[in-house]
Amino acid sequence: MQLLLLNGPNLNLLGQREPGLYGHQTLDVIEQQLKERAAAAGVRLDSYQSNFEGALVERVHQAMGTVNGILINAGAFTHTSIALRDALLGVAIPYVELHLSNTQARESFRHQSYLADRAVGVVSGFGPFSYDLALDGLLNYLRQVEA
Ligand code: CA2
């Protein structure tokens, strides 16, 4: 099984700025630990981060035909990007939306998601642990639909 972890704008700054809001762990560490966790479950996980909407759309397109499931923290694009929504629905790959912070407990413009209603599920508010929970949820879903 092949999974893809996507991270959107500014998440490359994790661990370097705003640790009170987003924690101390860098994106490199989060990605590495999630790859190890996936490998322990017998699954290959690739990761990609971009600050550019079109680059994320292209990476979703590339996933078609090879990737079984996507974990996505689209950052601020969650609340703005119809293009990313269309790409995810276009390739028809099941995805889990995830966030470090609890977006429902923040500004009202973060309550809207263009991805959530078509996601397998949404994980939000657990800091870097949201990535682990999202992986477990996606694997559980994929194993059920495969069985
Ligand atoms: O909580 C999340 O994971 C978010 O996706 C993070 C986005 C925000 O726009 C979403 O509403 C919720 C922002 C990512 C910014 O990441 C930074 C990391 C360190 C320092 C500054 C920004």
Side-chain angles (χ1 to χ4, degrees), residues 14 46 49 69-70 93 95 106-107 122-123 137:
L14 279 180
D46 288 337
Q49 186 275 334
I70 294 176
I93 298 172
Y95 63 91
R106 298 183 64 190
E107 304 96 323
V122 179
V123 180

Side-chain angles (χ1 to χ4, degrees), residues 111-128:
H111 299 177
Q112 155 78 8
S113 167
Y114 280 104
L115 311 182
D117 65 305
R118 301 295 294 272
V120 171
V122 179
V123 180
S124 185
F126 296 94

Side-chain angles (χ1 to χ4, degrees), residues 73-146:
N73 183 351
F77 291 152
T78 307
H79 320 298
T80 63
S81 182
I82 299 169
L84 204 46
R85 173 194 177 88
D86 287 347
L88 288 162
L89 300 188
V91 298
I93 298 172
Y95 63 91
V96 171
E97 173 184 332
L98 74 102
H99 300 284
L100 294 149
S101 62
N102 178 357
T103 53
Q104 295 301 315
R106 298 183 64 190
E107 304 96 323
S108 58
F109 58 81
R110 294 186 206 277
H111 299 177
Q112 155 78 8
S113 167
Y114 280 104
L115 311 182
D117 65 305
R118 301 295 294 272
V120 171
V122 179
V123 180
S124 185
F126 296 94
F129 191 51
S130 290
Y131 287 80
D132 299 308
L133 293 170
L135 175 63
D136 286 355
L138 183 58
L139 284 179
N140 185 61
Y141 171 82
L142 291 172
R143 286 182 174 145
Q144 272 175 19
V145 294
E146 273 179 10

Side-chain angles (χ1 to χ4, degrees), residues 47-69:
S47 60
Y48 180 74
Q49 186 275 334
S50 180
N51 296 318
F52 297 91
E53 186 177 14
L56 290 162
V57 168
E58 293 277 9
R59 189 64 190 84
V60 170
H61 292 175
Q62 278 173 24
M64 194 163 40
T66 57
V67 169
N68 304 92

